Amino acid sequence: MAKQRLTIILQTLRGELTVPEACARLGICEARFHALRSAWLQDALELLEPRQLGRPPHPADVSELQSRLQALETQNEQLRHQLAASEVRRELAHVLPHVVHPTSPTPKKGATHPRSPELPPLP
């Protein structure tokens, strides 16, 4: 039905049909025909207007964005604490290297190092 209406409207625009003939084929009055033709032409004109390329953006879910923001703020706070602790550890290692990296204890007399070969006792 829509294709038939479009064909008849186009025929009137090309001058192939008169408006009264078109109204007789469609079974409508002239006022209704003019309203249909005007509406169709207006819609066609709007379709020809330039539009943004691509798909229209999806509306954002506010609650989802708020929960994501909260999670990122929590993660940011944790990372700031970790950075501060790392800075303190770095400063301690620089100022007190023997505390952060303890030196190996001196072996007791007579004790052997596990990697060194056994030596005979001294006389």
Side-chain angles (χ1 to χ4, degrees), residues 8-9 11-35 37:
I8 292 173
I9 290 173
Q11 287 174 339
T12 61
L13 292 173
R14 287 191 301 252
E16 297 172 1
L17 280 178
T18 64
V19 172
E21 291 173 335
C23 291
R25 288 188 184 180
L26 294 173
I28 57 175
C29 68
E30 286 190 31
R32 178 73 179 131
F33 177 81
H34 288 292
R37 184 169 64 180

Side-chain angles (χ1 to χ4, degrees), residues 59-73:
D61 182 17
V62 175
S63 62
E64 182 180 326
L65 290 175
Q66 286 176 338
S67 65
R68 178 72 176 139
L69 176 64
Q70 182 62 38
L72 288 172
E73 286 176 347

Side-chain angles (χ1 to χ4, degrees), residues 47-113:
L47 289 173
L48 294 175
E49 289 292 328
R51 292 185 272 168
Q52 289 183 343
L53 298 178
R55 294 182 180 172
H58 294 285
D61 182 17
V62 175
S63 62
E64 182 180 326
L65 290 175
Q66 286 176 338
S67 65
R68 178 72 176 139
L69 176 64
Q70 182 62 38
L72 288 172
E73 286 176 347
T74 302
Q75 182 184 16
N76 189 12
E77 188 65 27
Q78 290 172 348
L79 291 172
R80 286 179 188 272
H81 287 294
Q82 290 175 5
L83 177 62
S86 176
E87 286 294 318
V88 169
R89 284 191 297 272
R90 186 186 61 79
E91 288 176 17
L92 284 174
H94 181 70
V95 174
L96 304 168
H98 62 283
V99 173
V100 177
H101 303 290
T103 58
S104 58
T106 55
K108 293 184 179 179
K109 223 177 198 183
T112 59
H113 192 273

